[in-house]
Amino acid sequence: MQISADGMEPERLKREFGDDITFWGGGIDTQKVLSFGTVEDVKREVRRNIDLFRRDGGYVFAPVHNIMPGVPLDNILAMYDTYRECASY
C-alpha cells in the first residue's frame, strides 16, 4: 500500500475500507521518510501508521515498498525497533 500516492491517505483508507479489508504494508514511506528522514521521523511515522491501521484489527506491518540501497542503516533499525515496541496488537 503506497501511502504517499495521491488518494492513498492512511486516515481515509482506514475510515473507508477498514471494516472490509486487511491492510498489508504502508508502515513507512520508503521513498521519502525511510530514505531521507531522520531517525525520529522514521519512528514517528511507524508509530502513527501502526496506531492508525491496527485499530479494530486488519493490519500487517510492512514498508510501502522494498528498501532500496543507500537507506541509512540507522533508519532501517529505527523502523524495526519501533515496530517491535508497538507490535503487541
Side-chain angles (χ1 to χ4, degrees):
M1 176 171 56
Q2 187 174 356
I3 58 174
S4 61
D6 285 342
M8 297 293 284
E9 297 80 18
E11 295 81 5
R12 184 186 65 79
L13 292 172
K14 183 65 176 182
R15 182 179 62 251
E16 290 184 21
F17 306 107
D19 290 339
D20 301 317
I21 65 172
T22 295
F23 292 96
W24 186 292
I28 187 163
D29 172 17
T30 54
Q31 291 179 312
K32 296 176 187 163
V33 179
L34 191 62
S35 295
F36 302 108
T38 66
V39 166
E40 289 306 313
D41 294 335
V42 170
K43 290 179 179 181
R44 184 174 31 259
E45 180 156 309
V46 169
R47 280 188 196 108
R48 178 186 66 118
N49 290 334
I50 288 175
D51 287 346
L52 173 71
F53 286 118
R54 74 176 174 189
R55 270 187 269 140
D56 301 320
Y59 183 55
V60 177
F61 178 85
V64 169
H65 291 294
N66 296 332
I67 298 172
M68 300 301 294
V71 173
L73 178 59
D74 287 344
N75 284 5
I76 296 169
L77 295 174
M79 176 184 67
Y80 284 111
D81 289 344
T82 305
Y83 164 75
R84 283 194 301 259
E85 290 170 11
C86 300
S88 59
Y89 62 92

Coordinates of all heavy atoms in Angstrom, one line a residue:
M1 N 0.9 -1.2 0.0 CA 0.0 0.0 0.0 C 0.9 1.2 0.0 O 1.7 1.4 0.9 CB -0.9 -0.1 1.2 CG -1.7 1.1 1.4 SD -2.9 0.9 2.8 CE -1.9 0.5 4.1
Q2 N 0.8 2.0 -1.0 CA 1.7 3.2 -1.2 C 1.0 4.4 -0.6 O 0.3 5.1 -1.3 CB 2.1 3.4 -2.6 CG 3.1 4.5 -2.8 CD 3.6 4.6 -4.2 OE1 3.3 3.9 -5.1 NE2 4.4 5.6 -4.4
I3 N 1.3 4.7 0.7 CA 0.6 5.8 1.4 C 0.9 7.2 0.9 O 0.3 8.1 1.2 CB 0.7 5.6 2.9 CG1 2.2 5.7 3.2 CG2 0.1 4.4 3.4 CD1 2.5 5.7 4.7
S4 N 2.0 7.3 0.1 CA 2.4 8.6 -0.4 C 1.8 8.9 -1.7 O 1.9 10.1 -2.2 CB 3.9 8.7 -0.5 OG 4.4 7.7 -1.4
A5 N 1.1 8.0 -2.4 CA 0.4 8.3 -3.6 C -0.8 9.1 -3.4 O -1.5 9.0 -2.4 CB 0.1 6.9 -4.3
D6 N -1.2 9.8 -4.5 CA -2.4 10.6 -4.4 C -3.6 9.7 -4.1 O -3.8 8.7 -4.7 CB -2.7 11.3 -5.8 CG -1.7 12.5 -6.0 OD1 -1.2 13.0 -5.0 OD2 -1.6 12.9 -7.1
G7 N -4.5 10.2 -3.2 CA -5.7 9.5 -2.8 C -5.5 8.3 -1.9 O -6.4 7.5 -1.6
M8 N -4.2 8.1 -1.4 CA -3.9 7.0 -0.5 C -3.6 7.4 0.9 O -2.8 6.9 1.6 CB -2.8 6.2 -1.1 CG -3.0 5.6 -2.4 SD -4.3 4.3 -2.4 CE -3.3 3.0 -1.7
E9 N -4.3 8.4 1.4 CA -4.1 8.9 2.7 C -4.5 7.9 3.7 O -5.7 7.4 3.7 CB -4.9 10.2 3.0 CG -4.5 11.4 2.1 CD -5.1 11.3 0.7 OE1 -6.1 10.6 0.5 OE2 -4.6 12.0 -0.2
P10 N -3.6 7.5 4.7 CA -3.9 6.4 5.6 C -5.2 6.6 6.4 O -6.0 5.6 6.5 CB -2.7 6.4 6.5 CG -1.6 7.0 5.7 CD -2.3 8.0 4.8
E11 N -5.5 7.8 6.8 CA -6.7 8.0 7.6 C -8.0 7.7 6.8 O -8.9 7.1 7.3 CB -6.8 9.4 8.2 CG -5.7 9.8 9.1 CD -4.3 10.1 8.5 OE1 -4.2 10.2 7.2 OE2 -3.4 10.3 9.3
R12 N -8.0 8.2 5.6 CA -9.1 8.0 4.7 C -9.3 6.5 4.4 O -10.4 5.9 4.4 CB -9.0 8.8 3.4 CG -10.3 8.6 2.5 CD -10.1 9.3 1.2 NE -9.0 8.7 0.4 CZ -9.2 7.6 -0.3 NH1 -10.4 6.9 -0.3 NH2 -8.2 7.0 -1.0
L13 N -8.2 5.8 4.0 CA -8.2 4.4 3.7 C -8.8 3.6 4.9 O -9.6 2.7 4.7 CB -6.8 3.9 3.3 CG -6.2 4.4 2.1 CD1 -4.8 4.0 1.9 CD2 -7.0 4.0 0.9
K14 N -8.3 3.9 6.1 CA -8.8 3.1 7.2 C -10.3 3.4 7.5 O -11.1 2.5 7.7 CB -8.0 3.5 8.5 CG -8.4 2.7 9.7 CD -8.1 1.2 9.6 CE -8.4 0.5 10.9 NZ -8.1 -0.9 10.8
R15 N -10.7 4.6 7.4 CA -12.1 5.0 7.6 C -13.0 4.4 6.5 O -14.0 3.8 6.9 CB -12.2 6.5 7.5 CG -13.6 7.1 7.8 CD -13.7 8.6 7.8 NE -13.3 9.1 6.5 CZ -12.2 9.8 6.2 NH1 -11.3 10.0 7.2 NH2 -11.9 10.3 5.0
E16 N -12.6 4.4 5.3 CA -13.5 3.9 4.2 C -13.4 2.4 4.0 O -14.4 1.8 3.6 CB -13.1 4.6 2.9 CG -13.5 6.1 2.9 CD -13.2 6.7 1.5 OE1 -13.1 6.0 0.5 OE2 -13.1 7.9 1.5
F17 N -12.3 1.8 4.3 CA -12.2 0.3 4.0 C -11.8 -0.5 5.1 O -11.7 -1.8 5.0 CB -11.1 0.2 2.9 CG -11.4 1.0 1.6 CD1 -10.7 2.1 1.3 CD2 -12.5 0.7 0.8 CE1 -10.9 2.9 0.2 CE2 -12.7 1.4 -0.3 CZ -12.0 2.5 -0.6
G18 N -11.5 0.1 6.3 CA -11.0 -0.7 7.4 C -11.9 -1.8 8.0 O -11.5 -2.8 8.6
D19 N -13.2 -1.7 7.7 CA -14.2 -2.8 8.1 C -14.2 -3.9 7.1 O -14.7 -5.0 7.5 CB -15.6 -2.2 8.3 CG -15.7 -1.3 9.5 OD1 -14.9 -1.4 10.4 OD2 -16.7 -0.5 9.5
D20 N -13.6 -3.7 5.9 CA -13.8 -4.7 4.9 C -12.5 -5.4 4.4 O -12.6 -6.5 3.8 CB -14.4 -4.0 3.6 CG -15.7 -3.4 3.9 OD1 -16.6 -4.1 4.6 OD2 -16.0 -2.3 3.5
I21 N -11.4 -4.8 4.7 CA -10.1 -5.4 4.2 C -9.0 -5.4 5.3 O -9.1 -4.7 6.3 CB -9.6 -4.7 2.9 CG1 -9.2 -3.3 3.3 CG2 -10.6 -4.7 1.8 CD1 -8.5 -2.6 2.1
T22 N -8.0 -6.2 5.1 CA -6.8 -6.2 5.9 C -5.8 -5.4 5.1 O -5.5 -5.7 3.9 CB -6.3 -7.6 6.1 OG1 -7.3 -8.3 6.9 CG2 -5.0 -7.6 6.9
F23 N -5.2 -4.4 5.7 CA -4.2 -3.6 5.1 C -2.8 -4.3 5.2 O -2.5 -4.8 6.3 CB -4.1 -2.3 5.8 CG -5.3 -1.4 5.5 CD1 -6.3 -1.4 6.4 CD2 -5.4 -0.7 4.3 CE1 -7.4 -0.6 6.2 CE2 -6.5 0.1 4.1 CZ -7.5 0.1 5.0
W24 N -2.1 -4.4 4.1 CA -0.7 -5.0 4.1 C 0.2 -3.9 3.6 O 0.1 -3.5 2.5 CB -0.7 -6.2 3.2 CG 0.5 -7.0 3.2 CD1 1.8 -6.5 2.7 CD2 0.7 -8.3 3.6 NE1 2.7 -7.5 2.9 CE2 2.1 -8.6 3.4 CE3 -0.1 -9.2 4.2 CZ2 2.6 -9.8 3.8 CZ3 0.4 -10.5 4.6 CH2 1.8 -10.7 4.4
G25 N 1.1 -3.6 4.5 CA 2.1 -2.5 4.1 C 1.7 -1.2 4.6 O 0.7 -1.0 5.4
G26 N 2.3 -0.2 4.1 CA 2.0 1.2 4.5 C 2.6 1.6 5.8 O 2.2 2.6 6.4
G27 N 3.5 0.8 6.3 CA 4.1 1.0 7.6 C 5.0 2.3 7.6 O 5.1 3.0 8.6
I28 N 5.7 2.5 6.5 CA 6.5 3.7 6.4 C 6.7 4.0 4.9 O 6.9 3.0 4.1 CB 7.8 3.6 7.1 CG1 8.6 4.9 7.1 CG2 8.7 2.4 6.5 CD1 9.7 5.0 8.1
D29 N 6.8 5.2 4.5 CA 7.1 5.6 3.2 C 8.6 5.4 2.9 O 9.4 6.0 3.5 CB 6.7 7.1 3.0 CG 7.1 7.7 1.7 OD1 7.4 6.9 0.7 OD2 7.2 8.9 1.6
T30 N 8.9 4.5 2.0 CA 10.3 4.2 1.7 C 10.9 5.1 0.8 O 12.2 5.2 0.7 CB 10.4 2.7 1.1 OG1 9.6 2.6 0.0 CG2 10.0 1.7 2.2
Q31 N 10.1 5.9 0.0 CA 10.7 6.8 -1.0 C 11.2 8.1 -0.3 O 12.2 8.7 -0.8 CB 9.7 7.2 -2.0 CG 9.4 6.1 -3.0 CD 8.3 6.5 -4.0 OE1 7.3 7.0 -3.6 NE2 8.6 6.1 -5.2
K32 N 10.6 8.6 0.7 CA 11.0 9.8 1.4 C 11.4 9.6 2.8 O 12.5 9.9 3.1 CB 9.8 10.8 1.3 CG 9.4 11.2 -0.1 CD 8.2 12.1 -0.1 CE 7.8 12.3 -1.6 NZ 6.5 12.9 -1.7
V33 N 10.5 9.2 3.6 CA 10.8 9.2 5.1 C 11.9 8.2 5.4 O 12.9 8.6 6.1 CB 9.5 8.9 5.9 CG1 9.9 8.8 7.4 CG2 8.5 9.9 5.6
L34 N 11.8 7.0 5.0 CA 12.8 6.0 5.3 C 14.2 6.3 4.7 O 15.2 6.2 5.3 CB 12.4 4.6 4.9 CG 13.3 3.4 5.4 CD1 13.3 3.4 7.0 CD2 12.9 2.1 4.9
S35 N 14.1 6.8 3.5 CA 15.4 7.1 2.7 C 16.0 8.4 3.2 O 17.3 8.5 3.2 CB 15.1 7.2 1.2 OG 14.7 5.9 0.7
F36 N 15.3 9.4 3.5 CA 15.8 10.7 3.7 C 15.5 11.4 5.0 O 16.0 12.4 5.4 CB 15.4 11.7 2.5 CG 15.8 11.2 1.2 CD1 14.9 10.7 0.3 CD2 17.2 11.2 0.8 CE1 15.3 10.2 -0.9 CE2 17.6 10.7 -0.4 CZ 16.6 10.2 -1.3
G37 N 14.6 10.8 5.8 CA 14.2 11.3 7.1 C 15.2 11.1 8.1 O 16.1 10.3 8.0
T38 N 15.0 11.7 9.3 CA 15.8 11.4 10.4 C 15.3 10.2 11.1 O 14.2 9.7 10.8 CB 15.7 12.6 11.4 OG1 14.4 12.7 12.0 CG2 16.1 13.9 10.8
V39 N 16.0 9.7 12.1 CA 15.6 8.5 12.9 C 14.3 8.9 13.6 O 13.4 8.0 13.6 CB 16.7 8.1 13.9 CG1 16.1 7.2 15.0 CG2 17.9 7.5 13.2
E40 N 14.2 10.1 14.1 CA 12.9 10.5 14.7 C 11.8 10.5 13.8 O 10.6 10.2 14.1 CB 13.1 11.8 15.5 CG 14.0 11.7 16.7 CD 13.5 10.6 17.7 OE1 12.3 10.6 18.0 OE2 14.3 9.9 18.2
D41 N 12.0 11.0 12.5 CA 10.9 11.0 11.5 C 10.4 9.6 11.3 O 9.2 9.3 11.1 CB 11.5 11.5 10.2 CG 11.8 13.0 10.2 OD1 11.3 13.8 11.1 OD2 12.7 13.4 9.4
V42 N 11.4 8.6 11.2 CA 11.0 7.2 10.9 C 10.2 6.7 12.1 O 9.1 6.1 11.9 CB 12.3 6.4 10.7 CG1 12.0 4.9 10.7 CG2 13.0 6.8 9.5
K43 N 10.6 6.9 13.3 CA 9.9 6.4 14.5 C 8.5 7.0 14.5 O 7.5 6.3 14.8 CB 10.7 6.8 15.8 CG 11.9 6.0 15.9 CD 12.6 6.4 17.2 CE 13.9 5.7 17.5 NZ 14.5 6.1 18.8
R44 N 8.4 8.3 14.3 CA 7.1 9.0 14.3 C 6.1 8.4 13.3 O 5.0 8.1 13.6 CB 7.3 10.5 14.1 CG 6.1 11.3 14.3 CD 6.3 12.8 14.2 NE 7.4 13.2 13.4 CZ 8.6 13.6 13.9 NH1 8.9 13.6 15.2 NH2 9.6 14.0 13.1
E45 N 6.6 8.2 12.0 CA 5.7 7.6 11.0 C 5.3 6.2 11.3 O 4.2 5.8 11.1 CB 6.3 7.8 9.6 CG 5.4 7.2 8.6 CD 5.6 7.8 7.2 OE1 5.7 9.0 7.0 OE2 5.7 7.0 6.3
V46 N 6.2 5.4 11.7 CA 5.9 4.0 12.0 C 4.9 3.9 13.1 O 3.9 3.2 13.0 CB 7.2 3.2 12.4 CG1 6.8 1.8 13.0 CG2 8.1 3.0 11.2
R47 N 5.1 4.7 14.2 CA 4.1 4.7 15.3 C 2.7 5.1 14.8 O 1.7 4.5 15.2 CB 4.6 5.6 16.4 CG 5.6 5.0 17.3 CD 5.9 5.9 18.5 NE 7.1 5.5 19.2 CZ 8.2 6.2 19.1 NH1 8.3 7.3 18.5 NH2 9.3 5.7 19.7
R48 N 2.7 6.2 14.1 CA 1.5 6.8 13.6 C 0.7 5.8 12.7 O -0.5 5.6 12.9 CB 1.7 8.1 12.8 CG 0.5 8.7 12.2 CD 0.8 9.8 11.3 NE 1.5 9.3 10.1 CZ 1.1 9.4 8.9 NH1 0.0 10.1 8.6 NH2 1.8 8.9 7.9
N49 N 1.4 5.1 11.8 CA 0.7 4.2 10.9 C 0.3 2.9 11.6 O -0.8 2.4 11.4 CB 1.6 3.9 9.7 CG 1.7 5.1 8.8 OD1 0.8 6.0 8.8 ND2 2.8 5.2 8.1
I50 N 1.1 2.4 12.6 CA 0.7 1.3 13.3 C -0.6 1.6 14.2 O -1.5 0.9 14.2 CB 1.8 0.7 14.2 CG1 2.9 0.0 13.3 CG2 1.3 -0.3 15.2 CD1 4.1 -0.4 14.1
D51 N -0.5 2.7 14.9 CA -1.6 3.1 15.7 C -2.9 3.3 14.9 O -4.0 2.9 15.3 CB -1.3 4.4 16.4 CG -0.3 4.3 17.6 OD1 -0.1 3.1 18.0 OD2 0.2 5.3 18.0
L52 N -2.8 3.8 13.7 CA -4.0 4.0 12.8 C -4.5 2.7 12.3 O -5.7 2.4 12.4 CB -3.6 5.0 11.7 CG -4.7 5.1 10.6 CD1 -5.8 5.9 11.2 CD2 -4.1 5.8 9.4
F53 N -3.6 1.9 11.6 CA -4.1 0.8 10.9 C -4.5 -0.4 11.8 O -5.3 -1.2 11.5 CB -3.1 0.3 9.9 CG -3.0 1.2 8.7 CD1 -1.9 1.9 8.4 CD2 -4.1 1.3 7.8 CE1 -1.8 2.7 7.2 CE2 -4.1 2.2 6.7 CZ -2.9 2.9 6.4
R54 N -3.9 -0.5 13.0 CA -4.2 -1.7 13.8 C -5.5 -1.5 14.6 O -6.0 -2.5 15.1 CB -3.1 -1.9 14.8 CG -3.0 -0.9 16.0 CD -1.9 -1.3 16.9 NE -1.8 -0.3 18.0 CZ -0.8 -0.3 18.8 NH1 0.1 -1.3 18.8 NH2 -0.7 0.6 19.7
R55 N -6.1 -0.3 14.6 CA -7.4 -0.2 15.3 C -8.4 -1.1 14.7 O -8.6 -1.2 13.5 CB -7.9 1.3 15.2 CG -7.4 2.2 16.3 CD -8.1 3.5 16.2 NE -7.2 4.4 15.4 CZ -7.6 5.2 14.5 NH1 -8.9 5.4 14.2 NH2 -6.8 6.0 13.8
D56 N -9.0 -1.9 15.6 CA -10.1 -2.8 15.2 C -9.5 -4.0 14.3 O -10.3 -4.6 13.6 CB -11.2 -2.1 14.5 CG -11.9 -1.1 15.4 OD1 -12.0 -1.4 16.6 OD2 -12.2 0.0 14.9
G57 N -8.2 -4.2 14.3 CA -7.6 -5.3 13.6 C -7.5 -5.0 12.1 O -7.8 -3.9 11.6
G58 N -7.0 -6.0 11.4 CA -6.8 -5.9 10.0 C -5.6 -5.2 9.5 O -5.7 -4.4 8.5
Y59 N -4.4 -5.5 10.0 CA -3.2 -4.8 9.6 C -2.0 -5.8 9.7 O -1.8 -6.4 10.7 CB -2.9 -3.6 10.4 CG -1.7 -2.8 9.9 CD1 -1.6 -2.4 8.6 CD2 -0.7 -2.5 10.8 CE1 -0.5 -1.7 8.2 CE2 0.4 -1.8 10.4 CZ 0.5 -1.4 9.1 OH 1.6 -0.7 8.6
V60 N -1.2 -5.8 8.6 CA 0.1 -6.5 8.6 C 1.1 -5.4 8.3 O 1.1 -4.8 7.2 CB 0.1 -7.6 7.5 CG1 1.4 -8.3 7.4 CG2 -1.0 -8.6 7.7
F61 N 2.0 -5.2 9.3 CA 3.0 -4.2 9.1 C 4.1 -4.6 8.1 O 4.6 -5.7 8.1 CB 3.8 -4.0 10.4 CG 4.9 -2.9 10.3 CD1 4.6 -1.6 10.4 CD2 6.2 -3.3 10.1 CE1 5.6 -0.7 10.3 CE2 7.2 -2.4 9.9 CZ 6.9 -1.1 10.0
A62 N 4.4 -3.7 7.2 CA 5.5 -3.8 6.2 C 5.7 -2.5 5.6 O 4.8 -1.6 5.6 CB 5.1 -4.8 5.1
P63 N 6.9 -2.2 5.2 CA 7.2 -0.9 4.5 C 6.3 -0.8 3.2 O 5.8 -1.8 2.7 CB 8.7 -1.0 4.1 CG 9.3 -2.1 4.8 CD 8.1 -3.1 5.2
V64 N 6.3 0.4 2.7 CA 5.5 0.6 1.5 C 6.0 -0.2 0.3 O 5.3 -0.8 -0.4 CB 5.4 2.1 1.1 CG1 4.9 2.4 -0.3 CG2 4.6 2.9 2.2
H65 N 7.3 -0.2 0.1 CA 8.0 -0.9 -1.0 C 9.3 -1.5 -0.4 O 9.6 -1.4 0.8 CB 8.4 0.0 -2.1 CG 7.2 0.6 -2.9 ND1 6.4 -0.2 -3.6 CD2 6.7 1.8 -3.0 CE1 5.4 0.5 -4.2 NE2 5.6 1.7 -3.8
N66 N 10.0 -2.2 -1.3 CA 11.3 -2.7 -0.9 C 12.2 -1.6 -0.4 O 12.1 -0.5 -0.8 CB 12.0 -3.4 -2.1 CG 11.2 -4.6 -2.6 OD1 10.5 -5.2 -1.8 ND2 11.4 -4.9 -3.9
I67 N 13.1 -2.0 0.5 CA 14.1 -1.0 1.0 C 15.2 -0.9 0.0 O 15.8 -1.9 -0.4 CB 14.6 -1.4 2.4 CG1 13.5 -1.4 3.4 CG2 15.7 -0.5 2.8 CD1 13.8 -2.0 4.7
M68 N 15.5 0.2 -0.6 CA 16.4 0.4 -1.6 C 17.8 0.6 -1.1 O 18.0 1.0 0.1 CB 16.0 1.7 -2.5 CG 14.7 1.6 -3.1 SD 14.5 0.2 -4.2 CE 15.6 0.6 -5.5
P69 N 18.8 0.4 -1.9 CA 20.2 0.7 -1.5 C 20.4 2.1 -1.1 O 19.7 3.0 -1.7 CB 21.1 0.3 -2.7 CG 20.2 -0.5 -3.6 CD 18.8 -0.1 -3.3
G70 N 21.3 2.4 -0.1 CA 21.5 3.7 0.3 C 20.7 4.2 1.4 O 21.0 5.3 1.9
V71 N 19.7 3.5 1.9 CA 18.9 3.9 3.0 C 19.8 3.8 4.2 O 20.5 2.8 4.4 CB 17.7 3.0 3.2 CG1 17.0 3.4 4.5 CG2 16.7 3.2 2.0
P72 N 19.9 4.8 5.1 CA 20.7 4.8 6.3 C 20.3 3.6 7.2 O 19.2 3.4 7.5 CB 20.5 6.1 7.0 CG 20.0 7.0 5.9 CD 19.2 6.1 4.9
L73 N 21.4 2.9 7.6 CA 21.1 1.7 8.5 C 20.4 2.1 9.7 O 19.5 1.4 10.2 CB 22.4 1.0 8.8 CG 22.3 -0.2 9.8 CD1 21.5 -1.3 9.2 CD2 23.7 -0.7 10.1
D74 N 20.7 3.3 10.3 CA 20.0 3.7 11.5 C 18.5 3.9 11.3 O 17.7 3.6 12.2 CB 20.6 5.1 12.0 CG 22.0 4.9 12.6 OD1 22.4 3.8 12.9 OD2 22.7 6.0 12.7
N75 N 18.1 4.3 10.1 CA 16.7 4.4 9.8 C 16.0 3.0 9.7 O 14.9 2.9 10.1 CB 16.5 5.2 8.5 CG 16.7 6.7 8.7 OD1 17.1 7.1 9.7 ND2 16.5 7.4 7.6
I76 N 16.7 2.1 9.1 CA 16.1 0.7 9.0 C 16.0 0.1 10.4 O 14.9 -0.4 10.7 CB 17.0 -0.2 8.1 CG1 17.0 0.4 6.6 CG2 16.5 -1.6 8.1 CD1 18.1 -0.3 5.8
L77 N 17.0 0.3 11.2 CA 16.9 -0.2 12.6 C 15.8 0.5 13.4 O 15.1 -0.2 14.1 CB 18.3 -0.1 13.2 CG 19.4 -0.9 12.6 CD1 20.7 -0.6 13.3 CD2 19.1 -2.4 12.8
A78 N 15.7 1.8 13.2 CA 14.6 2.5 13.9 C 13.2 2.0 13.5 O 12.4 1.9 14.3 CB 14.8 4.0 13.6
M79 N 13.1 1.7 12.2 CA 11.8 1.2 11.7 C 11.5 -0.1 12.4 O 10.4 -0.3 13.0 CB 11.8 0.9 10.2 CG 10.6 0.3 9.7 SD 10.6 -0.1 7.9 CE 11.9 -1.4 7.9
Y80 N 12.4 -1.1 12.4 CA 12.2 -2.4 13.0 C 12.1 -2.3 14.6 O 11.2 -3.0 15.1 CB 13.2 -3.4 12.6 CG 13.0 -3.9 11.2 CD1 13.9 -3.5 10.2 CD2 11.9 -4.6 10.9 CE1 13.7 -4.0 8.9 CE2 11.7 -5.1 9.6 CZ 12.6 -4.7 8.6 OH 12.3 -5.2 7.3
D81 N 12.9 -1.5 15.2 CA 12.8 -1.3 16.6 C 11.5 -0.7 17.1 O 10.8 -1.2 18.0 CB 13.9 -0.4 17.2 CG 15.3 -1.1 17.1 OD1 15.3 -2.4 16.9 OD2 16.3 -0.4 17.2
T82 N 11.0 0.3 16.3 CA 9.7 0.9 16.7 C 8.6 -0.1 16.4 O 7.6 -0.1 17.2 CB 9.5 2.2 15.8 OG1 10.7 3.1 16.1 CG2 8.3 2.9 16.2
Y83 N 8.7 -0.8 15.3 CA 7.6 -1.8 15.1 C 7.6 -2.8 16.3 O 6.5 -3.1 16.8 CB 7.9 -2.6 13.8 CG 7.2 -3.9 13.7 CD1 5.8 -3.9 13.5 CD2 7.7 -5.1 14.1 CE1 5.1 -5.0 13.4 CE2 7.0 -6.3 14.0 CZ 5.7 -6.3 13.7 OH 5.0 -7.4 13.7
R84 N 8.7 -3.3 16.7 CA 8.7 -4.2 17.9 C 8.1 -3.6 19.1 O 7.5 -4.3 19.9 CB 10.1 -4.8 18.1 CG 10.5 -5.8 17.1 CD 11.8 -6.6 17.5 NE 12.9 -5.7 17.7 CZ 13.9 -5.5 16.9 NH1 13.9 -6.1 15.7 NH2 14.9 -4.7 17.2
E85 N 8.4 -2.3 19.3 CA 7.8 -1.6 20.5 C 6.3 -1.5 20.4 O 5.6 -1.6 21.4 CB 8.4 -0.2 20.6 CG 9.9 -0.1 21.0 CD 10.4 1.3 20.8 OE1 9.6 2.2 20.6 OE2 11.6 1.4 20.9
C86 N 5.8 -1.4 19.2 CA 4.4 -1.1 19.0 C 3.6 -2.4 18.6 O 2.4 -2.3 18.4 CB 4.2 -0.1 18.0 SG 4.9 1.5 18.4
A87 N 4.2 -3.5 18.4 CA 3.6 -4.6 17.7 C 2.7 -5.5 18.6 O 2.2 -6.5 18.1 CB 4.7 -5.5 17.1
S88 N 2.5 -5.2 19.8 CA 1.7 -6.0 20.6 C 0.2 -5.7 20.4 O -0.5 -5.1 21.2 CB 2.0 -5.9 22.1 OG 1.8 -4.5 22.5
Y89 N -0.3 -6.1 19.3 CA -1.7 -5.9 18.9 C -2.3 -7.1 18.3 O -1.7 -8.1 18.1 CB -1.9 -4.7 18.0 CG -1.3 -4.8 16.7 CD1 -2.0 -5.3 15.6 CD2 0.0 -4.4 16.5 CE1 -1.4 -5.3 14.3 CE2 0.6 -4.4 15.2 CZ -0.1 -4.9 14.2 OH 0.5 -4.9 12.9

